[in-house]
Amino acid sequence: MSYIKGKIIQEIYANSSNGYFVGLFRVSDSDIDKYRNKVITFTGTFDEIKYKTNYKMEGEFVSHNKYGMQFQVNSYEILLPTDKEELIEFFSSSLFPIGEKTAEKIVNKIGNDAINIIINDPECLNDIPRLNKEKVILIRNIVLEYQSTSYIVIELGKLGFNTKNAISIMKKYGNRSIDIINDNIYKIMDDIDITFDEVDKIAKNMGYSLDDERRMLSLIIEVMKKISFQNGDTYLFFDEIYENTLKYTNDIEREVFEYILIKLSKLEKIVINKEKYYLKELYDSEIYISDRLYRLNELERRKLPKLDKKINQLELINGITYDESQKEAIYKALNNNFTIITGGPGTGKTTIIKCIVKLLIEINGLKQDRLALLAPTGRAARKLMDTTGIPAYTIHKYLKWDKDKNEFSVNEYCPSKEEYIIVDEASMIDSVLMSSLLKGITYRAKIILVGDYYQLPSVSQGQVLKDLIDSNCFDVVKLNCLYRQTEDSYITTLAHEIKNKEINENFMAKYDDYNFIECINENIMGSVIDIVKKAINKGYNDKDIQILAPMYKSINGIDNLNKILQDVMNPKDPSKNEINSGEIIYREGDKILQLVNDSDNSVSNGDIGYIESITLTDKNKSKKNEVVVNFFGNRVIYTPKDFKNITHGYAISVHKSQGGEFRMVIMPLSSSFKRMLYNKLIYTAVTRAKEKLILVGDPSAFIYGIKNDYVENRKTSLKELIENKYNIS
């Protein structure tokens, strides 16, 4: 660990949301002689940057062939001035309500220990000319804050907190930070974004035992979060919580464990309902959804007049005839307060949405701003916008999600004003998001959910669409007629066979839109590459072709596929700039997948874009490495610290593909994937193919996956809660 002392003289980059800062530093002293009296670049996380202020920073000098030499700060402290000139400069800075002459008088009268004297005896300033009582109090408070801020960050750093977390703690608790940490370090997890593992490591160093009650209270919450997220459950049973907790602590008696669970219930961290144990947020979400939809469904219905005539008018305009199930969907969607429309691929869900929008706006005269078109992902929202011709949004964007606070600005206290809410790809909505959406819309807004019952459920906890449909308490229209089907096509037929687990031997035959290429595991990668090359020769490009795989690791996994496919779809070229991020090489023209929601840049988890340009430090005025990714016209700038938010998108997971369609889908099916293959995953992958589907690998792995239903075993209470509202036993 090295150190530098000196002053910050210039900002290069600053992120106000997370405190990350890049700047120039004039070094007055260092343990490495060659940097003394030099100006260097430094990077780190800071609470507040103070110019003309002496710092001591500890960290490492890092030399990178592309980033250049920089000092990476691990911890820092503000050095209080001790000589006369520094003190005069300090007191006459913009921090204080006095000028240089008054500052000089203070130092001349009190001496070089002025800061400590002012802290301990503020009356020492009483005889300074032009300093009234208010200014004296203000000067002392500024000095106290200045000193305590640095002290708290330093002390938290000594405990083991990194600078970012130390600053977050200090901002939340101020001067109480150290006392709160000493009293119960695990409490900070309730208030700031820090992981249990980070806190637990520091707690052990502070002397906390594995079975300390404060630790156990937080550990059980952590265990419940992990299990419920991994399985998609909204409630858990005693034994699974108990057995998983034992992996992280000493043997603990069941009676003691039950006592801690009861205490968590009294602290309103969990809810215990008979044999079911819920995290409070998940319990509240399901309760709210069931209550809100019940009340909405029971409201008096506002029916649109002359709907038959208007539908006939629309059929004439568009030269289309709606079948009976489609008409039923339109009637119920427009006349009910709450309606669910479900169906597989090619059954006309998109057609129905388009019709509903046209009937409301073009024929019924509804103002566009009284209708909200929503979807869980950016890709699905764009598809919805392309279909209807009016703006559509992700649910997070619509609710104005603040990623730093993890809160929605549109909520029960400040709801939206739309009269109609249409949500596509509703199978992807988890319990917490559904609850948040219902809180963010007006009490009487009509809601239309559209989705495929048989697709993968949400990544997070719950299975909202399935539970709502299975309750049999709401109007559900099931579309069954196939429209997107030609004589020699098979994709839609295959999807319905997968759904029904009735695969015909024809799945090995070749069709215009489908082919199964059988090969052993070792040859899957080579076969995928050959298929991609042939497709490119036929006029397909990387925007048309999407490889979907069940796993990230292994020779046929997503990570390895992306490395190989980059060389096929976007080979190395002297004219294309590149930049390294760990083992990944990003190249201009690369296909990129966004991994997290980023409301600031209007880009969502699962969005696919392309690297438009890469600018390296030596050619960039800002002296930063920058990657510009174009997401359908939305250009987002990434610097190295943001690279964790993206990856290559030539091959992606089936979950990441939800809400999108691709001209050609290629899916490797390896016997090594078996533990990750199941019916809904294969069904979802197959239904992403719009024109061409190619399966590559082991037919037995395909058949195994179709018969595997494990994903349907999520433990949720929403269905039961709704049935109880309607007294259904």
Side-chain angles (χ1 to χ4, degrees):
M1 186 82 72
S2 296
Y3 76 85
I4 54 175
K5 292 181 181 179
K7 296 179 181 179
I8 298 169
I9 59 174
Q10 184 179 327
E11 172 189 315
I12 293 176
Y13 173 82
N15 186 324
S16 59
S17 63
N18 60 20
Y20 183 77
F21 189 89
V22 181
L24 297 180
F25 191 87
R26 188 180 300 281
V27 180
S28 61
D29 186 26
S30 174
D31 58 338
I32 300 179
D33 292 343
K34 67 178 181 178
Y35 293 113
R36 289 176 182 163
N37 301 314
K38 300 288 185 182
V39 174
I40 65 170
T41 302
F42 73 99
T43 67
T45 304
F46 295 81
D47 170 38
E48 181 183 359
I49 293 297
K50 300 178 187 293
Y51 296 95
K52 296 182 179 181
T53 298
N54 283 311
Y55 282 85
K56 179 182 179 182
M57 299 180 181
E58 293 187 341
E60 301 291 343
F61 285 99
V62 178
S63 178
H64 194 283
N65 60 342
K66 293 185 177 179
Y67 304 155
M69 181 60 67
Q70 58 185 13
F71 188 79
Q72 293 182 350
V73 179
N74 293 327
S75 63
Y76 70 90
E77 60 179 298
I78 296 171
L79 299 176
L80 296 176
T82 55
D83 63 43
K84 183 175 180 179
E85 288 186 2
E86 287 181 345
L87 283 164
I88 292 171
E89 183 180 15
F90 174 65
F91 284 118
S92 62
S93 71
S94 58
L95 289 170
F96 295 92
I98 57 177
E100 187 174 342
K101 288 184 178 180
T102 304
E104 189 174 353
K105 290 175 182 177
I106 291 174
V107 178
N108 287 337
K109 179 177 187 296
I110 303 176
N112 290 357
D113 198 27
I115 291 175
N116 289 325
I117 292 172
I118 290 171
I119 290 171
N120 296 314
D121 180 20
E123 293 184 0
C124 68
L125 296 173
N126 289 345
D127 296 332
I128 304 296
R130 298 185 179 180
L131 278 189
N132 56 35
K133 185 177 180 180
E134 289 74 16
K135 281 188 178 181
V136 169
I137 294 171
L138 183 57
I139 289 171
R140 181 173 184 267
N141 288 341
I142 291 169
V143 172
L144 280 170
E145 183 181 357
Y146 190 91
Q147 186 186 53
S148 65
T149 296
S150 179
Y151 169 77
I152 291 168
V153 172
I154 292 168
E155 290 302 306
L156 291 173
K158 289 178 181 177
L159 290 174
F161 291 101
N162 62 37
T163 305
K164 180 182 177 182
N165 287 335
I167 289 169
S168 297
I169 294 168
M170 189 205 64
K171 283 185 173 180
K172 178 65 182 178
Y173 304 119
N175 292 332
R176 298 182 298 127
S177 298
I178 304 301
D179 290 338
I180 287 172
I181 297 295
N182 288 332
D183 179 59
N184 181 6
I185 188 173
Y186 294 96
K187 181 187 184 305
I188 66 175
M189 294 173 60
D190 295 335
D191 300 317
I192 70 168
D193 183 18
I194 186 169
T195 68
F196 175 84
D197 290 340
E198 289 174 303
V199 172
D200 200 41
K201 183 179 179 181
I202 297 169
K204 288 175 183 176
N205 292 334
M206 293 175 65
Y208 281 74
S209 64
L210 290 178
D211 54 2
D212 187 296
E213 185 177 298
R214 294 167 295 180
R215 179 178 187 267
M216 291 301 300
L217 289 167
S218 290
L219 174 60
I220 291 172
I221 294 296
E222 178 71 7
V223 167
M224 290 181 69
K225 285 179 178 178
K226 284 184 177 179
I227 303 172
S228 63
F229 182 80
Q230 180 180 335
N231 299 335
D233 297 333
T234 58
Y235 68 83
L236 305 169
F237 293 124
F238 181 95
D239 284 344
E240 61 183 320
I241 304 171
Y242 178 65
E243 289 165 9
N244 278 276
T245 302
L246 289 178
K247 298 175 184 177
Y248 301 91
T249 189
N250 297 325
D251 195 16
I252 181 171
E253 294 181 3
R254 293 175 68 91
E255 292 77 9
V256 175
F257 191 79
E258 187 171 4
Y259 155 76
I260 296 174
L261 286 171
I262 292 170
K263 186 164 185 177
L264 282 170
S265 175
K266 290 181 178 179
L267 291 170
E268 297 188 346
K269 296 285 187 70
I270 69 171
V271 173
I272 303 173
N273 186 357
K274 297 180 181 177
E275 78 283 3
K276 298 176 181 178
Y277 294 78
Y278 302 79
L279 290 166
K280 183 71 162 53
E281 181 183 40
L282 296 177
Y283 178 82
D284 289 346
S285 294
E286 290 194 319
I287 290 289
Y288 188 85
I289 293 167
S290 61
D291 183 61
R292 179 77 160 78
L293 291 181
Y294 169 77
R295 287 186 286 114
L296 177 64
N297 201 46
E298 293 302 299
L299 284 176
E300 181 182 352
R301 286 162 169 74
R302 298 165 289 149
K303 297 186 177 182
L304 287 181
K306 302 178 181 179
L307 194 50
D308 281 324
K309 183 179 178 181
K310 292 174 180 177
I311 293 174
N312 292 336
Q313 182 182 345
L314 196 58
E315 287 179 320
L316 289 172
I317 292 172
N318 294 328
I320 189 172
T321 301
Y322 300 110
D323 66 37
E324 289 306 311
S325 64
Q326 289 178 321
K327 285 185 177 179
E328 181 189 7
I330 296 166
Y331 277 112
K332 288 186 174 179
L334 293 172
N335 287 332
N336 290 347
N337 296 321
F338 178 59
T339 306
I340 300 171
I341 301 170
T342 185
T347 57
K349 298 189 298 296
T350 300
T351 300
I352 296 303
I353 293 174
K354 189 175 181 179
C355 172
I356 292 169
V357 171
K358 283 185 174 293
L359 281 169
L360 287 172
I361 294 177
E362 295 181 13
I363 295 178
N364 213 58
L366 183 76
K367 290 183 178 179
Q368 190 171 300
D369 62 2
R370 310 306 288 178
L371 168 67
L373 298 181
L374 308 176
T377 68
R379 190 187 298 117
R382 278 192 297 274
K383 178 185 168 188
L384 198 54
M385 184 161 57
D386 292 342
T387 298
T388 61
I390 66 172
Y393 306 95
T394 64
I395 298 173
H396 279 80
K397 186 170 184 179
Y398 176 73
L399 297 177
K400 297 182 179 178
W401 179 59
D402 184 325
K403 67 177 180 180
D404 295 320
K405 296 180 180 178
N406 193 25
E407 295 175 351
F408 293 109
S409 299
V410 176
N411 50 43
E412 61 267 48
Y413 308 109
C414 184
S416 64
K417 305 299 181 185
E418 286 80 5
E419 298 174 27
Y420 290 85
I421 310 293
I422 301 176
V423 186
D424 198 11
E425 298 290 352
S427 63
M428 299 170 65
I429 304 176
D430 59 77
S431 296
V432 173
L433 185 58
M434 186 66 183
S435 173
S436 299
L437 175 60
L438 292 174
K439 289 175 182 176
I441 61 180
T442 59
Y443 183 73
R444 295 188 64 87
K446 292 191 174 190
I447 301 173
I448 303 158
L449 298 184
V450 183
D452 189 340
Y453 177 89
Y454 293 97
Q455 273 192 32
L456 285 171
S458 58
V459 173
S460 293
Q461 297 95 325
Q463 48 185 12
V464 173
L465 184 69
K466 183 179 187 300
D467 284 346
L468 294 178
I469 292 173
D470 288 348
S471 73
N472 293 314
C473 294
F474 304 111
D475 268 328
V476 178
V477 182
K478 299 178 180 179
L479 305 175
N480 295 310
C481 294
L482 299 182
Y483 290 94
R484 195 170 63 198
Q485 184 88 344
T486 60
E487 187 175 339
D488 195 31
S489 65
Y490 187 58
I491 295 175
T492 304
T493 298
L494 178 64
H496 286 268
E497 289 179 354
I498 292 170
K499 177 185 72 176
N500 298 323
K501 305 179 189 67
E502 297 174 353
I503 292 295
N504 190 292
E505 64 272 9
N506 291 340
F507 84 89
M508 292 298 294
K510 185 176 181 179
Y511 295 86
D512 284 347
D513 64 345
Y514 170 83
N515 195 9
F516 196 120
I517 298 175
E518 183 177 1
C519 62
I520 61 174
N521 291 347
E522 291 76 10
N523 294 339
I524 287 176
M525 176 68 76
S527 296
V528 169
I529 292 169
D530 288 341
I531 294 164
V532 169
K533 287 180 177 178
K534 288 177 182 178
I536 291 172
N537 290 335
K538 289 181 179 180
Y540 288 88
N541 58 44
D542 57 357
K543 292 182 175 67
D544 304 321
I545 304 167
Q546 188 59 61
I547 289 81
L548 303 181
M551 292 178 63
Y552 283 90
K553 304 303 177 184
S554 85
I555 189 171
N556 297 311
I558 293 167
D559 293 339
N560 200 43
L561 281 165
N562 271 319
K563 286 182 182 178
I564 306 300
L565 290 166
Q566 181 191 33
D567 292 333
V568 176
M569 295 186 174
N570 188 32
K572 191 176 182 66
D573 188 317
S575 66
K576 295 179 178 180
N577 287 332
E578 296 182 353
I579 190 169
N580 287 64
S581 175
E583 296 183 0
I584 298 177
I585 298 173
Y586 290 113
R587 183 177 298 143
E588 288 177 339
D590 270 344
K591 188 175 189 177
I592 295 297
L593 176 73
Q594 176 75 14
L595 298 174
V596 297
N597 289 323
D598 183 354
S599 56
D600 292 341
N601 289 303
S602 299
V603 61
S604 302
N605 183 359
D607 281 356
I608 290 177
Y610 291 83
I611 295 181
E612 193 172 85
S613 65
I614 295 175
T615 308
L616 303 178
T617 52
D618 56 345
K619 296 181 181 179
N620 197 351
K621 291 181 179 178
S622 67
K623 300 300 179 185
K624 293 182 291 184
N625 290 306
E626 291 183 343
V627 175
V628 178
V629 182
N630 189 332
F631 295 95
F632 295 90
N634 176 30
R635 291 171 174 81
V636 180
I637 298 175
Y638 297 85
T639 55
K641 68 181 179 61
D642 304 313
F643 288 171
K644 64 182 180 294
N645 297 333
I646 58 174
T647 190
H648 280 132
Y650 301 108
I652 65 176
S653 70
V654 180
H655 278 96
K656 294 290 187 185
S657 75
Q658 282 185 271
E661 287 183 335
F662 311 95
R663 282 189 67 196
M664 175 184 287
V665 167
I666 303 169
M667 186 179 189
L669 291 161
S670 168
S671 57
S672 65
F673 291 165
K674 275 191 174 181
R675 65 188 181 87
M676 294 297 294
L677 291 174
Y678 50 93
N679 186 278
K680 284 194 173 183
L681 182 132
I682 295 177
Y683 175 85
T684 301
V686 166
T687 56
R688 299 309 91 204
K690 192 174 182 181
E691 295 180 10
K692 193 83 172 178
L693 171 67
I694 302 175
L695 305 180
V696 186
D698 185 351
S700 67
F702 179 62
I703 296 298
Y704 171 87
I706 289 168
K707 293 179 179 179
N708 182 6
D709 281 333
Y710 93 90
V711 78
E712 295 181 358
N713 297 327
R714 287 190 171 189
K715 299 192 294 293
T716 63
S717 295
L718 183 57
K719 174 177 175 288
E720 179 185 359
L721 288 167
I722 293 168
E723 289 172 343
N724 290 341
K725 293 282 185 184
Y726 287 92
N727 296 316
I728 298 173
S729 57

